Amino acid sequence: EDTPAPVRFLPEYDNVFLSHVDRARIVSAADLPRLKAGNGFLAPFLVDGFVRGTWRITRAKDAATLTLTPVRKLAAAERADVETEGARLLAFMEPDARRRDVRVAPG
């Protein structure tokens, strides 16, 4: 219980997020509406096991951008961890991109 969980990026339709009637173990009721998009949910990222925002990758020619949108302000250490793991995700998802950028949008 006291062991911090690493940052995780879940895809849009990940079972851990979608299959639970009560998502309170990973997202607060106040944050849940900010994750909805149409009939589903945006792809979430987790900090210490809780949803703290959404992510998406966009591609323009040889550049790939990972945009992170927090549902609440991230502490400096959390932001650094999310950006570091986000850079790894972006390198994995867009290996042929010549430029990769991780951006944190205003929450």
Side-chain angles (χ1 to χ4, degrees), residues 12-94:
E12 287 182 41
Y13 298 103
D14 192 87
N15 188 41
V16 74
F17 187 66
L18 294 180
S19 69
H20 298 282
V21 174
D22 178 13
R23 295 180 182 93
R25 69 183 182 91
I26 62 168
V27 65
S28 73
D31 291 341
L32 190 60
R34 297 182 72 191
L35 305 173
K36 292 188 178 181
N39 292 332
F41 291 93
L42 300 169
F45 67 84
L46 285 68
V47 174
D48 199 22
F50 290 93
V51 174
R52 293 298 303 276
T54 62
W55 66 274
R56 70 184 175 98
I57 295 174
T58 54
R59 181 78 187 248
K61 298 186 181 183
D62 64 345
T65 303
L66 170 64
T67 303
L68 307 167
T69 305
V71 293
R72 63 182 66 201
K73 185 173 172 77
L74 298 171
E78 293 172 332
R79 182 180 173 132
D81 290 346
V82 170
E83 288 176 337
T84 299
E85 188 62 22
R88 288 185 197 121
L89 172 68
L90 191 55
F92 174 78
M93 296 292 290
E94 298 290 342

